[in-house]
Amino acid sequence: MTDLVLSPQSLLLGGLTGYMIGSIPFAYIVTKRRTGMDIRKYGTGNVGAANTLQVTGQRTIARTVLVLDMLKGFLPVAVFELLGLSAPLVVLLPALILGHCYPVWLGFRGGRGLATATGALLLVNPGAVFLWCVTYMIGKRIKPDIRFASILATGLALAVVLGLPADFLGRTTLPFSGLSDHGTQVFLSLSVVLLIILSRHIGPFLELIGVRNSGE
């Protein structure tokens, strides 16, 4: 296992590219154009596919948002992989999620990053996506609440990543990825991605605790 050299140029390229693309608020744009509504003012206020469905009640609009949010994670990673930009890829992954969760265009109030993270990781470590999905489904069986399932899945995924040896993460990364066999960099990227996503679940977590406490 080897380590990539992260130069200032790599950090800047991956960081700026990821953040600016991730900041494109598709849920806001699509909902505004289709219905005239500002999604931030309705439902949970979350700029993502789930709140789009809740606010509009239209599955077509929500599915469009979901696909676009996944593509804005998938396509930049695909381009960096094809160009052999391995070092910037380390920063690109969390930057995409940071942009989605805290977009500059909407006053740093965005979505929760799950769809964009899924798209971004499919070409790097789909095992992490699979782990999250399985845990999410288990969470939904335990408690039919999207917030609970998302927090459980993201928290467990972070715990697994922190608990696994870095070289294992490198070996389980797709062979054609520029991060293949670079376990330390995969560890750093995945950890930051999951921490950013968890930061957007602090509010829902506190709400869950509040609901539980009020019922006791």
Side-chain angles (χ1 to χ4, degrees), residues 1-2 164-173 180-184 187:
M1 183 178 68
T2 59
L164 288 174
D167 59 343
F168 178 82
L169 290 174
R171 290 196 302 270
T172 56
T173 298
S180 177
D181 202 34
H182 295 294
T184 301
F187 168 80

Side-chain angles (χ1 to χ4, degrees), residues 3 21-22 28 41-42 64 70 78 81 111 113 116 118 126-127 129 134 143 170-171 178-179 192 198:
D3 289 338
I21 294 176
Y28 173 83
K41 299 179 181 179
Y42 301 92
T64 299
M70 290 184 67
E81 294 277 25
T116 302
T118 297
V129 177
V134 170
K143 180 180 177 65
R171 290 196 302 270
L179 295 181
V192 175
L198 278 176

